[in-house]
Amino acid sequence: MNLFKRTKKTTDERIENVRNKIYKEMYHVIMAICLVSFVVKMYKYGAGIEEVVLELVILIGGGVYFLARSIFLGVFWDEVEMHDRTSKTSMSMKTIFSSVGLAFIIAVVMGINSAVSYADSSSQGLWYFTLVSFVSVIIYLPILLFLFGGIYLLAKKVSMKYQDDDKKL
């Protein structure tokens, strides 16, 4: 009596690929909706951090979950190798470029905010912009390089370990 035994259904690979594509699109749509909701609540309604906690949890938690699953399944390093084969810029260089770019974007935004909010004249605004932007780059660049680069290197190491463990089996 095999009442609780599940039989393996045969599935069409094409259908599975289409389903996975739909799930991927759905993930991107949900992330975009959360990001738009976060931005609208913060800037249009002036909401504090308490009102956008759910959006932050969904945005950060979804990304962390996706990264963790791909690392522990050993897929992360495979994806990086496939990317490096087909792209002119390696994933490690893109990680560095994105860290530097994000640091400069943060620095420019903080510099503009400082110049607009606190300067009394245009020359003082230029000085505030330059000073705050420079100090922001000095502060945020090492932090972001350490954060993004560290996560990348750790993910690479763990994924390669899990990939090697799968090959031994």
Side-chain angles (χ1 to χ4, degrees):
M1 186 157 148
N2 295 327
L3 185 61
F4 296 109
K5 196 176 214 180
R6 292 187 71 168
T7 59
K8 232 177 191 183
K9 296 179 184 176
T10 57
T11 58
D12 186 6
E13 188 175 316
R14 184 186 63 83
I15 293 172
E16 285 297 318
N17 287 335
V18 170
R19 269 195 188 146
N20 289 338
K21 186 176 180 182
I22 292 169
Y23 288 139
K24 181 179 177 182
E25 291 168 356
M26 184 173 63
Y27 173 78
H28 289 295
V29 167
I30 290 170
M31 290 296 141
I33 290 170
C34 286
L35 185 63
V36 168
S37 172
F38 173 77
V39 169
V40 167
K41 282 183 180 179
M42 289 295 286
Y43 292 106
K44 184 167 181 160
Y45 300 120
I49 196 72
E50 299 86 24
E51 287 85 15
V52 293
V53 169
L54 180 62
E55 285 87 351
L56 287 175
V57 167
I58 292 171
L59 286 170
I60 295 170
V64 168
Y65 176 78
F66 183 81
L67 180 65
R69 286 294 291 166
S70 67
I71 289 170
F72 291 121
L73 290 174
V75 176
F76 176 79
W77 186 242
D78 292 336
E79 289 176 355
V80 169
E81 285 180 337
M82 289 297 294
H83 174 272
D84 289 349
R85 273 190 235 148
T86 58
S87 178
K88 291 181 182 179
T89 309
S90 67
M91 187 65 81
S92 58
M93 289 306 294
K94 283 187 179 181
T95 302
I96 293 171
F97 292 153
S98 63
S99 300
V100 171
L102 185 58
F104 277 108
I105 289 170
I106 291 171
V108 167
V109 167
M110 291 181 77
I112 290 172
N113 182 37
S114 179
V116 169
S117 299
Y118 303 114
D120 296 329
S121 65
S122 61
S123 63
Q124 189 179 29
L126 183 61
W127 172 247
Y128 282 0
F129 171 79
T130 305
L131 185 65
V132 169
S133 296
F134 180 72
V135 171
S136 296
V137 166
I138 289 174
I139 291 171
Y140 287 109
L141 186 59
I143 292 171
L144 292 173
L145 282 172
F146 180 74
L147 181 69
F148 290 157
I151 289 173
Y152 173 77
L153 292 175
L154 182 66
K156 175 182 167 183
K157 183 178 179 181
V158 172
S159 184
M160 287 176 72
K161 178 186 174 281
Y162 278 95
Q163 189 180 36
D164 290 340
D165 289 347
D166 286 344
K167 288 179 182 176
K168 290 178 184 176
L169 294 177

